[in-house]
């Protein structure tokens, strides 16, 4: 096999964080390849909110605009493909894709996001991002004063209740089993007129993703407009893990304040690295990763003067 062309940087993941990293690198004349499999986590959401200048814009439109701007920089290439493995030989990384291509780079940035793991509840996946929502800052305003429930593990559910209570008085907590709140927490919930329902959810009835009713396993039901759900996730791409990058105790890629992973030459940004999940945060951490990779390359390549 012939040695592949060597990029300065391969960015795996070409959504908000990956494109942001690419822009910083393109503006520094770095030769960059972005490899993206086209599955951003918010793809089912009709409108994205809470990112200044892009409030209420469809998620794909934000990404398309970003991609068009990034690809104006000549040194950046974009390919649709899925990275399946990677290895390094000394200071060079080799990346293989599902279409059988191999690429080489001096540095890697993983901007691969996370995969939300849908519970086995009929109707849940269809409503995800439309009326089953993950974050009050992203979609809470659109459901203000509406009939709302929260389905999340105890502490997270309690935390969400305190935030969402500010947006609506019609709030119910669904614990899907015996709740383990302290006496003080139960009192605080009751004081704020937040009912707790412990019966597990069986089904979400909806119309085109818009919730109408939640049905419990005993056949009882409540009418709802919105459901906040705290669900588990896994890394969308496990290649950084196979390359030796460590995860933190919550399952995020362990990065320092400069988005550097625990493996030399590999950076990561966006949702795969933080629970502060938003387009704005992803763009910010992508920018930091791009700038820091450029800095590392610059320091390595800066000629030492010979006297
Ligand atoms: C339902 C929902 C609604 C949301 N709504 C909002 C909102 O209104 N406002 C807001 O600010 N935030 C919102 N968010 C959060 C926001 O979408 C994320 O924070 C943001 O998308 C993270 O960007 P990212 O680039 O890190 O990851 P993603 O956008 O998830 O992109 C990761 C990219 O990497 C690619 N990829 C993964 N693995 C591979 C691989 N092996 N090879 C090649 N490519 C790969 C994927 O295909 C994808 O394109 C929402 C999230 C969800 C789940």
């Amino acid at each position: 096999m012939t040695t592949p062309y060597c990029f300065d940087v391969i960015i795996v993941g070409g959504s908000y964080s990956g494109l942001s990293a690419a822009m910083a690198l393109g503006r520094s004349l770095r030769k960059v390849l972005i490899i993206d499999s086209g599955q951003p986590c918010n793809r089912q959401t009709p409108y994205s909110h809470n990112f200044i200048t892009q409030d209420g814009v469809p998620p794909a439109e934000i990404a398309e605009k970003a991609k068009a701007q990034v690809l104006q920089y000549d040194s950046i290439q974009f390919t649709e493909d899925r990275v399946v493995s990677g290895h390094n030989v000394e200071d060079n990384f080799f990346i293989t894709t599902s279409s059988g291509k191999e690429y080489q780079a001096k540095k890697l940035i993983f901007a691969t996001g996370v995969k939300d793991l849908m519970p086995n509840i009929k109707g849940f996946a269809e409503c995800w991002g439309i009326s089953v929502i993950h974050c009050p800052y992203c979609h809470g305003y659109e459901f203000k004063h509406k009939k709302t429930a929260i389905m999340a593990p105890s502490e997270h559910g309690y935390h969400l209740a305190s935030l969402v209570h500010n947006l609506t008085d019609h709030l119910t907590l669904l614990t899907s089993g015996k709740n383990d709140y302290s006496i003080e927490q139960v009192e605080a919930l009751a004081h704020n007129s937040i009912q707790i329902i412990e019966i597990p959810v069986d089904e979400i009835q909806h119309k085109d993703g818009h919730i109408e009713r939640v049905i419990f396993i005993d056949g009882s039901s409540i009418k709802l407009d919105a459901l906040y759900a705290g669900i588990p996730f896994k890394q969308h791409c496990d290649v950084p893990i196979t390359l030796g990058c460590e995860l933190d105790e919550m399952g995020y890629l362990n990065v320092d304040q400069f988005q550097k992973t625990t493996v030399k030459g590999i950076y990561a940004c966006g949702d795969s690295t933080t629970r502060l999940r938003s387009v704005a945060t992803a763009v910010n951490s992508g920018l930091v990763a791009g700038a820091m990779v450029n800095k590392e390359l610059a320091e390595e390549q800066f000629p030492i003067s010979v006297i």
Side-chain angles (χ1 to χ4, degrees):
M1 189 189 275
T2 54
T3 310
Y5 172 82
C6 187
F7 289 92
D8 289 323
V9 187
I10 291 176
I11 301 175
V12 186
S15 181
Y16 314 102
S17 63
L19 288 167
S20 178
M23 182 168 273
L25 288 159
R27 292 183 56 75
S28 303
L29 305 181
R30 297 297 174 190
K31 292 188 241 53
V32 176
L33 175 66
I34 306 168
I35 307 174
D36 184 58
S37 58
Q39 297 284 299
C41 64
N42 61 352
R43 60 191 178 278
Q44 196 164 280
T45 293
Y47 303 101
S48 178
H49 291 280
N50 208 27
F51 180 22
I52 201 157
T53 76
Q54 305 297 324
D55 190 40
V57 176
E61 215 173 293
I62 302 175
E64 275 158 27
K65 191 171 179 188
K67 185 176 165 187
Q69 290 185 348
V70 163
L71 292 182
Q72 282 175 4
Y73 294 90
D74 291 340
S75 63
I76 301 182
Q77 293 179 40
F78 189 104
T79 184
E80 287 169 23
D81 209 338
R82 192 166 61 84
V83 169
V84 290
S85 65
H87 69 278
N88 69 310
V89 177
E90 293 167 356
D91 287 342
N92 284 309
F93 293 99
F94 295 84
I95 286 293
T96 316
T97 68
S98 58
S99 69
K101 305 240 169 52
E102 187 177 62
Y103 300 102
Q104 183 183 346
K106 298 187 190 93
K107 309 283 173 197
L108 296 180
I109 298 178
F110 284 93
T112 36
V114 295
K115 222 178 207 171
D116 298 295
L117 304 174
M118 303 289 141
N120 191 17
I121 295 174
K122 194 174 165 209
F124 188 101
E126 291 84 347
C127 295
W128 179 242
I130 299 169
S131 59
V132 173
I133 53 186
H134 78 295
C135 160
Y137 297 104
C138 296
H139 304 288
Y141 184 86
E142 283 61 46
F143 292 102
K144 62 184 181 302
H145 313 313
K146 298 281 188 190
K147 286 190 174 48
T148 303
I150 294 169
M151 191 174 77
S154 298
E155 277 312 313
H156 185 44
Y158 188 82
H159 161 70
L160 272 176
S162 65
L163 286 179
V164 177
H165 183 252
N166 184 47
L167 293 165
T168 179
D169 290 334
H170 315 284
L171 192 54
T172 307
L173 256 175
L174 311 180
T175 56
S176 292
K178 187 105 190 80
N179 84 77
D180 53 8
Y181 293 125
S182 66
I183 294 168
E184 292 76 24
Q185 286 175 319
V186 172
E187 278 173 6
L189 291 168
H191 179 73
N192 288 293
S193 308
I194 299 172
Q195 194 197 349
I196 304 175
I197 298 180
E198 296 178 329
I199 312 160
V201 174
D202 184 43
E203 179 183 349
I204 296 172
Q205 289 183 344
H206 66 98
K207 198 164 183 210
D208 300 329
H210 297 278
I211 300 183
E212 292 181 335
R213 198 164 269 284
V214 164
I215 317 288
F216 298 97
I217 56 165
D218 65 354
S220 61
S221 68
I222 53 170
K223 207 174 156 0
L224 273 189
D225 299 304
L227 175 69
Y228 289 84
I231 56 174
F233 73 89
K234 64 173 188 177
Q235 288 288 325
H236 197 149
C237 171
D238 61 8
V239 175
I241 302 162
T242 60
L243 280 163
C245 297
E246 287 169 13
L247 299 177
D248 67 17
E249 66 286 354
M250 295 174 76
Y252 296 103
L253 286 168
N254 215 335
V255 288
D256 68 9
Q257 61 176 318
F258 303 120
Q259 303 301 133
K260 204 173 186 170
T261 70
T262 50
V263 174
K264 188 171 175 279
I266 305 183
Y267 286 67
C269 51
D271 277 12
S272 63
T273 63
T274 177
R275 65 188 299 197
L276 297 175
R277 194 177 196 189
S278 76
V279 175
T281 312
V283 167
N284 175 58
S285 65
L287 177 69
V288 172
M292 289 303 126
V293 166
N294 179 56
K295 176 176 175 285
E296 200 168 289
L297 286 166
E299 286 170 356
E300 286 169 7
Q301 295 164 355
F302 198 62
I304 300 166
S305 62
V306 181
I307 301 168

